[in-house]
Amino acid sequence: MKLHVALLSLLALSADAFSPRPLVPKTVTNKDVSSKSDVWRPPMNMVAGGAEKAYGQEYYEGARIGPPPDLPSLLLHNRIVYIGMPLVPAVTELVIAELLYLNYESTSDPITMYINSSGTTTAGGQAVGFETEAFAIADVMKYVRPPVHTVALGQAFGAAAMLLSQGKRGKRFALPNATILLNQPRSQAQGQASDIAIKAREVANNRRTTCELIASACGKPVSTVMEDCSRVKYLQPEEAVEYGLIDEVIDNKKWAMSSKPPSFMSQL
Ligand SMILES: *[C@@H]1O[C@H](CO)[C@@H](O)[C@H](O)[C@H]1NC(C)=O
Ligand SMILES: *[C@@H]1O[C@H](CO)[C@@H](O)[C@H](O)[C@H]1NC(C)=O
């Protein structure tokens, strides 16, 4: 239900992006970008809270004047979704919108999702997001038609590790120095005892759902994953392969030899 509402508001937000007119040309050159023409515009609000600015809604003598494309837009153009922050609501909204947009652009070309995220908390354990946000992303990863490949770089903690595991089987990767942490560092809840009890129940439920998603992606019993999640369990990339969370550690040499990392990814 929550996802449904989120999707509806996203669709409203992005209704413009779904008009039949091709909004993003197949190749974006510097010329397109700097000519202030009507051709290029970011499909979504790439900057949280900056929708108007990002859409470039100002006009000067009939020509749209907007900011030059930002990095997320250029990545999006190459079917790359980058999660480089904790899973706060604004990040979830953007990631889901990007997935829906890429689904609309092509239902067959793979999407590559790069993950460097401490999940729903900061690296220090301060809660900043809700697990339900991560569940919404996981749902949409399955809902869209194109296969979603996942790549961990830096850190994939807790809910972010869960998302990593939700990639297409055989196409879940980690860079050699990525750190994967099954559970989420979490500071203590504060407030009235009754509130804490309610919160604790919700945390426990969400943890169970996270573990169920990881378990089914890894082909492991839920009880095993629950047990591993109940303590701090770091996985080196090789260990994550053994665990079944990912399929392969990316060989940097192979990567360096490829002139086009994104298409190299889709060939893997
Ligand atoms: C991953 O994210 C952390 C925290 O935001 C940041 O310090 C680190 O530089 C990032 N690593 C990569 C490889 O992007
Ligand atoms: C990163 O991984 C490579 C390959 O496994 C290893 O040789 C290197 O020492 C690692 N670097 C760090 C900073 O851990």
Side-chain angles (χ1 to χ4, degrees):
M1 184 59 203
K2 210 164 174 189
L3 174 63
H4 197 69
V5 173
L7 283 178
L8 279 182
S9 62
L10 274 170
L11 285 175
L13 235 184
S14 58
D16 216 347
F18 286 80
S19 69
R21 188 166 59 97
L23 294 173
V24 183
K26 276 300 162 213
T27 52
V28 176
T29 65
N30 281 343
K31 198 166 140 273
D32 290 333
V33 167
S34 59
S35 65
K36 293 181 181 173
S37 71
D38 201 19
V39 175
W40 195 93
R41 64 193 278 214
M44 296 302 306
N45 54 329
M46 289 301 156
V47 186
E52 279 84 353
K53 258 199 227 151
Y55 271 108
Q57 296 291 34
E58 296 159 62
Y59 287 83
Y60 179 72
E61 293 185 349
R64 188 191 300 282
I65 49 168
D70 47 300
L71 189 55
S73 314
L74 293 174
L75 291 177
L76 185 65
H77 185 71
N78 285 298
R79 301 183 74 74
I80 292 172
V81 174
Y82 182 58
I83 305 182
M85 278 174 64
L87 299 169
V88 298
V91 170
T92 312
E93 183 174 323
L94 177 59
V95 168
I96 290 178
E98 289 185 337
L99 289 172
L100 292 176
Y101 178 74
L102 292 171
N103 182 45
Y104 156 81
E105 277 245 301
S106 163
T107 51
S108 56
D109 291 349
I111 297 169
T112 308
M113 184 186 269
Y114 288 81
I115 300 173
N116 176 30
S117 172
S118 53
T120 54
T121 65
T122 62
Q126 190 73 42
V128 287
F130 303 99
E131 258 89 2
T132 44
E133 309 267 337
F135 301 155
I137 297 179
D139 276 345
V140 175
M141 285 168 79
K142 282 177 219 149
Y143 164 75
V144 296
R145 297 272 300 279
V148 180
H149 303 176
T150 50
V151 183
L153 65 150
Q155 41 185 240
F157 291 175
M162 183 276 283
L163 291 181
L164 177 66
S165 75
Q166 300 299 300
K168 184 177 159 58
R169 282 278 174 101
K171 302 286 183 185
R172 302 169 302 176
F173 305 96
L175 292 182
N177 297 118
T179 305
I180 295 157
L181 181 56
L182 274 191
N183 59 341
Q184 190 81 56
R186 192 179 294 282
S187 53
Q188 291 299 310
Q190 285 171 359
Q192 286 189 359
S194 55
D195 290 348
I196 293 177
I198 293 169
K199 185 83 192 127
R201 219 166 21 242
E202 198 199 326
V203 166
N205 283 342
N206 287 342
R207 177 163 295 174
R208 183 169 180 91
T209 308
T210 305
C211 289
E212 282 168 358
L213 286 166
I214 291 176
S216 76
C218 297
K220 281 202 172 341
V222 178
S223 56
T224 308
V225 177
M226 288 288 280
E227 203 189 318
D228 290 336
C229 284
S230 69
R231 47 174 195 257
V232 178
K233 185 160 175 87
Y234 283 98
L235 295 174
Q236 294 308 310
E238 296 293 354
E239 293 167 336
V241 173
E242 254 167 59
Y243 202 83
L245 196 86
I246 57 171
D247 302 295
E248 208 180 306
V249 182
I250 289 175
D251 180 344
N252 274 333
K253 284 194 205 108
K254 222 158 118 192
W255 174 277
M257 267 154 44
S258 150
S259 56
K260 286 185 189 161
S263 56
F264 161 73
M265 288 310 306
S266 52
Q267 281 158 21
L268 266 176

